[in-house]
Amino acid sequence: DVKVTQSSRYLVKRTGEKVFLECVQDMDHENMFWYRQDPGLGLRLIYFSYDVKMKEKGDIPEGYSVSREKKERFSLILESASTNQTSMYLCASSSGQGIDEQFFGPGTRLTVL
Amino acid sequence: GQNIDQPTEMTATEGAIVQINCTYQTSGFNGLFWYQQHAGEAPTFLSYNVLDGLEEKGRFSSFLSRSKGYSYLLLKELQMKDSASYLCAVSPRGGGGNKLTFGTGTQLKVEL
């Protein structure tokens, strides 16, 4: 089974702090994704990566950056956290082959005070 | 751009059948996915349609009409554990980096 893990289930940070969210997948998947999920807005794509060191902006990249130095790891960085970045953050990966369904991690509930 | 619409909430009775609709308008189309998400958990893949017609997988079926920009998820013999949010997602293009655009989800409540 594909396993996608995220570094924290719950995180509390202060406004202005730099925040790192880590995601690791163990199935040698090509593609990795970061979403945020908010009530009434659904899942929105922040950034994705289709190869090591490659990244593309999603629908809401402002205020975020990403890093993919190794195939299995995709990091989301909040350079200066703000209260409007309080959200559930979900990481996903996909093989890039066949149906190419995405497999999601358990999510990180981030609260910015 | 992409626009995906699905009802916000639905309620159904245990043992019944429920149909969750999804309409979409996208620039390019390479398939439609349905995911299930229980409260506090990650979304899990349910079904995929790329050609018109019905795909059946046990108690769950999914239908697609590309000309109408329409899909539905059909859940039969409803069980209490089917209470969850159901997410419709469209893949606007294929190949590497196959990103998805999600609808806001339909919260299904199954009652006795």
Side-chain angles (χ1 to χ4, degrees):
Chain A
D1 281 351
V2 175
K3 192 169 184 183
V4 181
T5 56
Q6 296 183 227
S7 48
S8 307
R9 287 303 304 269
Y10 300 93
L11 207 53
V12 180
K13 295 291 181 180
R14 297 205 174 272
T15 302
E17 280 193 82
K18 190 168 186 176
V19 182
F20 292 87
L21 302 182
E22 303 285 338
C23 175
V24 177
Q25 50 93 5
D26 66 358
M27 283 300 290
D28 201 36
H29 278 177
E30 301 294 326
N31 307 321
M32 297 188 75
F33 308 82
W34 273 108
Y35 296 89
R36 63 178 285 177
Q37 186 172 32
D38 301 287
L41 296 176
L43 277 161
R44 292 180 293 166
L45 182 65
I46 304 170
Y47 267 98
F48 68 103
S49 169
Y50 52 88
D51 200 353
V52 175
K53 296 192 186 293
M54 304 300 287
K55 60 185 179 184
E56 281 196 30
K57 293 180 180 178
D59 300 316
I60 51 163
E62 296 78 19
Y64 303 94
S65 62
V66 290
S67 172
R68 194 166 180 203
E69 296 296 317
K70 293 185 178 181
K71 191 174 186 180
E72 67 270 19
R73 188 180 298 269
F74 192 36
S75 303
L76 180 69
I77 303 151
L78 287 67
E79 294 289 341
S80 178
S82 64
T83 55
N84 63 12
Q85 292 179 310
T86 292
S87 187
M88 171 66 84
Y89 289 88
L90 288 159
C91 174
S93 72
S94 72
S95 64
Q97 317 243 344
I99 292 176
D100 200 22
E101 72 267 37
Q102 293 184 16
F103 295 84
F104 285 83
T108 296
R109 172 74 65 184
L110 173 67
T111 301
V112 182
L113 302 175
Chain B
Q2 339 300 331
N3 188 36
I4 300 173
D5 287 313
Q6 49 182 134
T8 304
E9 294 178 338
M10 298 183 73
T11 302
T13 305
E14 189 179 37
I17 299 172
V18 71
Q19 178 175 312
I20 303 174
N21 296 324
C22 172
T23 58
Y24 63 90
Q25 293 173 308
T26 59
S27 52
F29 177 84
N30 196 51
L32 188 141
F33 293 79
W34 284 96
Y35 282 80
Q36 180 191 59
Q37 186 178 24
H38 285 100
E41 297 182 13
T44 55
F45 169 73
L46 282 179
S47 70
Y48 172 72
N49 295 69
V50 65
L51 299 176
D52 290 354
L54 190 68
E55 293 282 340
E56 297 188 73
K57 194 187 284 187
R59 292 190 300 115
F60 293 6
S61 304
S62 56
F63 172 83
L64 176 68
S65 169
R66 289 173 296 171
S67 62
K68 295 181 179 177
Y70 168 68
S71 174
Y72 66 73
L73 181 69
L74 195 70
L75 291 75
K76 303 175 188 173
E77 301 169 16
L78 279 173
Q79 302 174 10
M80 298 298 288
K81 68 178 182 179
D82 297 329
S83 292
S85 184
Y86 291 85
L87 312 178
C88 172
V90 174
S91 171
R93 64 180 171 89
N98 193 20
K99 63 179 185 177
L100 296 177
T101 299
F102 282 84
T104 54
T106 298
Q107 187 67 46
L108 174 65
K109 183 178 179 182
V110 180
E111 298 179 329
L112 290 171

